Amino acid sequence: MSPKRGDRVTVPAPDDEWEIRFGTSDAVRGWEEPCRLALANTRRCFEVLRVDPR
């Protein structure tokens, strides 16, 4: 099943980290491109957002 607005971006976050969810349908459609073009940077951004989303 394809992800949709409000779904988690990936696996559940550990107890001490924030959960990242898709905010819009456009975010769902656009998520694959940065993963494909800059996987290491996308992963680092994802890790930072889970710890401190501000």
Side-chain angles (χ1 to χ4, degrees):
M1 187 162 132
S2 297
K4 59 185 179 296
R5 181 178 178 253
D7 286 351
R8 280 193 307 264
V9 173
T10 188
V11 298
D15 290 338
D16 61 337
E17 293 183 6
W18 292 84
E19 192 166 85
I20 300 175
R21 293 183 174 266
F22 291 111
T24 66
S25 296
D26 288 337
V28 173
R29 288 190 293 274
W31 179 246
E32 292 299 320
E33 186 172 357
C35 290
R36 186 174 46 85
L37 296 175
L39 182 59
N41 289 336
T42 304
R43 178 65 187 174
R44 177 70 185 129
C45 177
F46 181 80
E47 290 169 357
V48 169
L49 286 171
R50 273 193 151 174
V51 175
D52 185 10
R54 291 180 258 184

